[in-house]
Amino acid sequence: MRLSRYFLPVLKETPAEAQIASHRLMLRAGMIKQASAGIYSWLPLGYRVLRNIERIVHEEQQRAGHIPVLMPTLQSADLWRESGRYDAYGPEMLRIRDRHDRDMLYGPTNEEMITDIFRSHVSSYKDLPMTLYHIQWKFRDEARPRFGVMRGREFLMKDGYNFDLTKEDALHAYNRHLVSYLRTYERMGLQAIPMRADSGPIGGDDTHEFLVLAETGESEVFYDSEITDLKFGDREIDYDSVQQCQSVLEEFTSRYARTDETHDPAIFDQIPEDRRRVARGIEVGQIFYFGTKYSEAMGATVQGPDGKATPVHMGSHGIGVSRLVGALIEANHDDKGIVWPWEVAPFQVGIVNVKQGDATADAACDALYKELTAAGLDVLYDDREERAGAKFATMDLIGLPKRITVGPRGLEKGVVELTDRRTGESEEIKPELVAAALA
Ligand code: P5A
């Protein structure tokens, strides 16, 4: 992409309304624009990051054997009356009436709708296990929308729902989600720690939240510091293996890590004092096992091997896709701007032409731009008639992992400069070696 033809409305001033770094940086880098309280338009740069996160989530869900679908944002109130949650949900639910006076709502989550799909089409245990998921916008009329996309009213969620014959099978689905979430967050360059939590309006006994440690996080968390040494890494997991998923779950959850709702000082105090941590975290996901809560209320049964109708065991599993953009920035920024991890960066490489209009510099930039793009990299070429200083400031603000600086002086020596955004380290390199260096 040539910056002269792109839409990147960066702000010079720090917006007064933004209280935390990620919100400030998203506004300054022209990633989002507030439409109304807790509701945002995604501008081109922000949209690219959101799409990258979605892509990783889709890939990891499908690797775990989960099936993508797409359900609507608007739902019929009648379904929610069946589960009893229409009245129970309270003022967070946005209720709408259509022209025929039918009660509708903008979905805050989809347990009822997916259960309705399931009961309409599945009647035998032979079709199980099954996990369906989608990535779709949700609306929760939060009392205090704040921190930009971190606590929005409209936000993008990946929500998945498992259907199993037995509790045992459903607990495997729970464990499988835990494993696939560990892998998903790590791929984005994030450490998200599973912590025992409270299930709130979704219900059920078994639930873990995934928390990214950050001072600006909304949740208070308590954990044994040893848990932060755990890495999922590049281990190959057979998601069908009960034993493999179980052992990862045990490895990542058998120490103490809890949110304030489930914190138990008596147990916490048994951890050696120098390992006890009280900190703050951003909740980027949550998994639930709630058994037959919805299937019983809504008549979602299958015929078991014994021929008898039995309600299916279910769980639901969410990832805060739009919140992750904010969480990633909280975990990856410095005083100059954002520092994107490679996998989610809106562009991986920026080219800065320090002397736009100079025939040699322009030709070298064009050649590099073409070559790197052809090599499959997403490249943002700053070809504007601007001072070099302003171009560097923009690149630092938007946080592309690698910057190539091209100018007549370097080119005379036959080199360009390759700079790493995270370390700030630069090396002079022949233009024809850049593609290999980035591969
Ligand atoms: C699990 C999927 C559920 O709703 N039902 C379907 C279950 N879980 S949850 O924990 O309530 O939400 C899942 C994740 O969505 C993100 N999230 C939000 N992101 C931005 N703004 C909000 N107001 C908001 N509320 C929830 C969180 O990351 C949460 O873990």
Side-chain angles (χ1 to χ4, degrees):
M1 181 58 64
R2 285 170 187 271
L3 190 45
S4 65
R5 296 183 202 161
Y6 201 45
F7 178 50
L8 182 70
V10 297
L11 305 180
K12 292 223 169 58
E13 312 293 317
T14 298
E17 75 270 27
Q19 299 165 34
I20 62 170
S22 58
H23 188 194
R24 267 196 304 275
L25 289 168
M26 287 183 77
L27 292 170
R28 282 194 52 214
M31 294 176 64
I32 51 169
K33 174 171 185 334
Q34 183 174 316
S36 51
I39 304 180
Y40 292 86
S41 296
W42 291 80
L43 304 183
L45 196 79
Y47 187 52
R48 288 186 78 103
V49 178
L50 194 66
R51 283 279 172 266
N52 285 340
I53 294 173
E54 277 192 76
R55 176 180 44 80
I56 294 173
V57 169
H58 271 300
E59 283 174 15
E60 292 305 327
Q61 283 302 301
Q62 287 169 51
R63 193 196 301 278
H66 305 159
I67 306 168
V69 295
L70 185 60
M71 291 176 270
T73 53
L74 295 185
Q75 306 188 22
S76 146
D78 286 339
L79 275 181
W80 287 67
R81 292 197 174 100
E82 286 189 51
S83 72
R85 282 208 295 180
Y86 188 63
D87 294 325
Y89 217 91
E92 272 194 17
M93 180 186 277
L94 181 65
R95 294 154 209 264
I96 305 163
R97 187 158 291 162
D98 73 8
R99 66 195 295 165
H100 304 292
D101 263 351
R102 277 187 290 248
D103 290 326
M104 312 274 298
L105 56 100
Y106 192 127
T109 176
N110 286 60
E111 280 80 5
E112 284 79 357
M113 189 174 273
I114 200 85
T115 305
D116 180 50
I117 292 173
F118 181 87
R119 72 178 170 186
S120 306
H121 297 291
V122 182
S123 54
S124 163
Y125 77 96
K126 290 180 187 152
D127 292 327
L128 306 183
M130 185 191 285
T131 295
L132 305 173
Y133 79 94
H134 71 164
I135 298 181
Q136 178 60 293
W137 294 94
K138 304 288 184 285
F139 195 94
R140 293 182 186 175
D141 206 348
E142 300 276 352
R144 293 185 64 200
R146 56 179 187 157
F147 299 162
V149 299
M150 210 68 106
R151 178 164 295 278
R153 292 199 297 163
E154 189 184 47
F155 59 96
L156 192 59
M157 191 200 287
K158 170 262 156 182
D159 41 323
Y161 305 85
N162 67 282
F163 300 91
D164 288 278
L165 181 63
T166 63
K167 175 172 181 176
E168 233 172 33
D169 292 349
L171 288 177
H172 172 58
Y174 183 92
N175 299 349
R176 193 175 64 230
H177 278 87
L178 186 133
V179 176
S180 85
Y181 279 23
L182 288 171
R183 204 184 149 107
T184 303
Y185 297 120
E186 262 194 36
R187 258 188 80 179
M188 296 174 194
L190 266 189
Q191 181 171 40
I193 305 170
M195 301 201 180
R196 189 168 289 284
D198 181 75
S199 67
I202 307 292
D205 302 326
D206 286 284
T207 182
H208 281 90
E209 285 179 6
F210 287 77
L211 285 118
V212 172
L213 297 174
E215 277 165 29
T216 50
E218 290 191 288
S219 319
E220 188 172 36
V221 296
F222 304 80
Y223 63 95
D224 180 338
S225 65
E226 295 215 318
I227 200 148
T228 56
D229 296 335
L230 295 174
K231 298 274 176 296
F232 187 78
D234 52 9
R235 46 182 117 180
E236 284 297 327
I237 292 287
D238 173 2
Y239 282 105
D240 289 333
S241 162
V242 170
Q243 193 260 324
Q244 284 187 29
C245 292
Q246 176 72 30
S247 79
V248 173
L249 173 119
E250 276 165 15
E251 180 183 345
F252 281 81
T253 63
S254 62
R255 271 190 218 90
Y256 194 89
R258 296 190 182 196
T259 64
D260 54 356
E261 299 140 350
T262 55
H263 176 53
D264 184 341
I267 307 177
F268 189 58
D269 289 348
Q270 290 166 19
I271 302 168
E273 198 174 348
D274 60 327
R275 287 184 2 211
R276 276 180 238 156
R277 297 282 185 281
V278 181
R280 304 200 70 80
I282 303 166
E283 181 205 324
V284 292
Q286 187 162 5
I287 53 176
F288 302 83
Y289 164 71
F290 43 69
T292 55
K293 173 177 164 164
Y294 297 90
S295 56
E296 278 194 59
M298 297 181 64
T301 59
V302 290
Q303 194 176 49
D306 56 3
K308 285 195 197 128
T310 155
V312 286
H313 285 258
M314 293 174 59
S316 70
H317 316 277
I319 292 182
V321 173
S322 50
R323 176 178 287 181
L324 269 167
V325 182
L328 277 157
I329 298 175
E330 285 300 321
N332 298 282
H333 70 273
D334 60 18
D335 52 3
K336 292 188 204 137
I338 304 167
V339 185
W340 289 115
W342 184 269
E343 281 263 13
V344 293
F347 299 92
Q348 291 116 15
V349 188
I351 300 176
V352 169
N353 186 343
V354 296
K355 198 140 194 225
Q356 198 69 43
D358 174 280
T360 342
D362 291 1
C365 286
D366 282 343
L368 269 171
Y369 176 65
K370 285 204 187 97
E371 188 192 350
L372 299 180
T373 306
L377 292 164
D378 290 320
V379 186
L380 183 66
Y381 169 22
D382 192 345
D383 61 343
R384 296 170 305 160
E385 307 278 344
E386 264 283 2
R387 288 180 304 112
K391 292 188 175 186
F392 292 141
T394 299
M395 283 295 174
D396 284 342
L397 173 64
I398 68 172
L400 310 187
K402 299 285 181 185
R403 185 184 81 203
I404 304 163
T405 310
V406 181
R409 221 178 301 153
L411 289 172
E412 260 171 41
K413 292 194 287 172
V415 295
V416 296
E417 193 183 57
L418 181 60
T419 308
D420 184 272
R421 174 67 181 86
R422 195 173 289 275
T423 64
E425 279 164 19
S426 289
E427 55 172 317
E428 292 194 330
I429 180 169
K430 290 185 182 151
E432 58 272 26
L433 298 181
V434 170
L438 292 175

